[in-house]
Amino acid sequence: MPLLSYELHATCPITNARAATMSLGPEDRRNEVQLPIFMPVGTQGTMKGLTTKQLAATGCRIMLSNTYHLGLRPGPELLEAAGGLHKFMAWDGSILTDSGGFQMVSLLSLAQITEKGVNFRSPHDGSEMLLTPEKSIQLQNSIGADIIMQLDDVVSSLTTGPRVAEAMHRSIRWLDRCIGANANPDSQNVFAIIQGGLDPVLREECVAEMVKRDTPGYAIGGLSGGEEKSKFWRVVKQCCDLLPKDKPRYLMGVGYAVDLVVCVALGVDMFDCVFPTRTARFGMALVRTGQLNLKAKEFESDAGPIDPDCPCQTCVNHSRAYIHAISRESVACHLLSVHNITYQLQLMRAARESILEQKFPQFVMKFMADMYPTGEYPEWAVEALGSVGIDLVVPE
């Protein structure tokens, strides 16, 4: 049995959308993940406000955790003693761990980057930690995630000049070090991360080099950092066009519903983002028309569920009025997180079903019409979908 297998079931005859199954994990915890998929983010081994049973009840079969934060707390010694993060958090689904590279951007004021690695100053106690490619993989071996990301040299998507090429070439070198450092090649899959900023020449070179390493899957990194969406989608499409057709493609840090649907059309299989749980903390519910601010007065007497078609326990058991009434309480965040994660997962399931039924373009047209009932679609989405054969009608 291969460590990670990717079985392609159907492709859209018009767009680049694909429906597949990714099987991974050891025999006693073998897991099948239906693609395309959205992965909720539990930075330190927990989804904020949710137990693992509640997370599983949403239909989630794979989640993301962060190596940098887990390496600081609870630390590798405790995780190894517990038998890895799966046992520590009582989760029988799959786990993907970020390498810690993203913190080069998010904690840039606390980090120094050299060829050796990244020297961080802890935001908790000020102590220093050198994160090398070898250390990143060592930490991820202790965590025991099913998919472990290489440590890459991450620069902001707004960065230009020689630093972008330097980071791309360093990421290739660091991938080799990560593959060599993996102590559990029979149970943990190292994914390469494609870098190169918004430069198509650098992206093409990076894909060519990363594919030579023949990793089990490939991530598209260095985006969703404030760049223009017209440039964002072109990088995504370029990478998907160049990457192998028989392996999963993971777009890192992307979670807005429109972005998910458009990027599925471009050929992406996997996504992650803190957005659904973060926006829940502000009283926002994700629905087919966008977002509802349940803190708003208009919902104080609304006896209906957030979404009458949603199967989540929040929609089954509670009204908009109830969530409005408790919007200042932590339980409201919990209930909205359950709903928002379910929304993201249901959206990807619906996309998958439409691909299998050869109706994906119709799915996209209805999704966009629901999200933008006036027909005033974002120009970037019109361009991106048009590049793969879906023509949205934009009013004059």
Side-chain angles (χ1 to χ4, degrees):
M1 178 178 8
L3 180 55
L4 182 152
S5 66
Y6 178 88
E7 182 180 1
L8 184 64
H9 302 299
T11 56
C12 173
I14 295 174
T15 72
N16 295 335
R18 351 194 275 175
T21 299
M22 179 175 64
S23 300
L24 69 168
E27 288 188 21
D28 62 340
R29 195 177 37 75
R30 194 71 175 171
N31 191 28
E32 291 192 346
V33 178
Q34 307 300 311
L35 305 177
I37 192 68
F38 175 81
M39 301 179 289
V41 177
T43 300
Q44 290 192 283
T46 178
M47 214 61 54
K48 281 186 168 50
L50 274 69
T51 67
T52 50
K53 285 187 177 180
Q54 290 167 330
L55 180 61
T58 68
C60 177
R61 297 308 302 151
I62 183 169
M63 62 170 285
L64 183 144
S65 287
N66 182 273
T67 298
Y68 170 76
H69 291 289
L70 287 169
L72 290 175
R73 190 176 58 189
E77 295 81 8
L78 182 56
L79 286 169
E80 287 182 9
L85 185 58
H86 290 89
K87 292 182 178 179
F88 190 58
M89 65 183 290
W91 172 248
D92 66 355
S94 298
I95 297 174
L96 180 151
T97 41
D98 184 11
S99 65
F102 176 70
Q103 277 65 43
M104 294 183 202
V105 174
S106 65
L107 298 176
L108 187 59
S109 63
L110 302 175
Q112 291 182 320
I113 304 161
T114 66
E115 186 64 26
K116 187 174 183 180
V118 192
N119 200 47
F120 288 104
R121 193 168 67 252
S122 169
H124 302 296
D125 60 11
S127 62
E128 290 195 350
M129 171 176 139
L130 177 62
L131 187 65
T132 64
E134 292 80 9
K135 180 65 174 178
S136 173
I137 296 299
Q138 181 184 356
L139 289 170
Q140 292 184 84
N141 287 158
S142 298
I143 293 167
D146 303 285
I147 296 174
I148 59 179
M149 304 307 299
Q150 74 154 110
L151 183 67
D152 53 339
D153 186 353
V154 183
V155 295
S156 167
S157 58
L158 304 178
T159 300
T160 57
R163 176 72 181 99
V164 181
E166 176 191 46
M168 184 274 286
H169 288 111
R170 180 174 287 147
S171 295
I172 296 169
R173 294 191 297 272
W174 281 5
L175 173 61
D176 291 332
R177 289 168 61 183
C178 287
I179 292 171
N182 185 12
N184 301 322
D186 296 330
S187 60
Q188 294 183 281
N189 302 274
V190 177
F191 274 29
I193 303 176
I194 309 302
Q195 290 291 350
L198 303 178
D199 187 327
V201 175
L202 294 180
R203 287 281 177 174
E204 182 175 1
E205 181 181 352
C206 191
V207 170
E209 288 298 321
M210 296 303 200
V211 168
K212 289 178 184 177
R213 277 69 178 175
D214 194 28
T215 57
Y218 299 91
I220 302 168
L223 296 175
S224 198
E227 71 278 359
E228 295 175 18
K229 282 297 185 67
S230 62
K231 296 178 179 178
F232 159 83
W233 77 259
R234 285 179 168 84
V235 172
V236 174
K237 184 176 188 299
Q238 178 194 16
C239 291
C240 287
D241 289 347
L242 294 172
L243 285 167
K245 298 186 183 303
D246 60 347
K247 294 189 177 183
R249 306 167 187 154
Y250 162 33
L251 180 56
M252 306 179 78
V254 170
Y256 294 143
V258 173
D259 296 7
L260 297 179
V261 170
V262 170
C263 290
V264 166
L266 298 178
V268 176
D269 301 303
M270 302 164 64
F271 306 86
D272 82 280
C273 192
V274 298
F275 171 66
T277 47
R278 178 169 290 171
T279 199
R281 300 202 285 276
F282 296 96
M284 308 296 287
L286 305 180
V287 294
R288 63 182 177 83
T289 54
Q291 299 182 47
L292 301 178
N293 181 0
L294 294 180
K295 291 184 176 182
K297 188 175 177 61
E298 64 182 290
F299 297 110
E300 68 177 351
S301 300
D302 191 332
I306 297 172
D307 179 352
D309 298 321
C310 178
C312 81
Q313 288 301 300
T314 300
C315 289
V316 169
N317 294 306
H318 301 292
S319 67
R320 295 175 177 183
Y322 174 70
I323 297 172
H324 171 85
I326 64 165
S327 61
R328 295 182 181 276
E329 306 294 332
S330 60
V331 70
C333 173
H334 159 79
L335 293 173
L336 286 169
S337 293
V338 168
H339 168 76
N340 287 351
I341 290 171
T342 302
Y343 169 84
Q344 301 282 88
L345 295 174
Q346 290 287 106
L347 178 64
M348 291 293 92
R349 285 193 197 102
R352 174 187 168 83
E353 288 170 8
S354 73
I355 298 166
L356 292 171
E357 295 171 359
Q358 300 291 280
K359 295 179 180 178
F360 181 70
Q362 296 94 313
F363 164 82
V364 173
M365 295 293 286
K366 183 178 186 308
F367 167 83
M368 295 297 287
D370 287 341
M371 192 66 69
Y372 303 98
T374 64
E376 296 178 354
Y377 305 121
E379 184 177 350
W380 76 270
V382 174
E383 292 175 349
L385 291 170
S387 76
V388 287
I390 296 180
D391 295 321
L392 297 174
V393 179
V394 184
E396 297 294 331

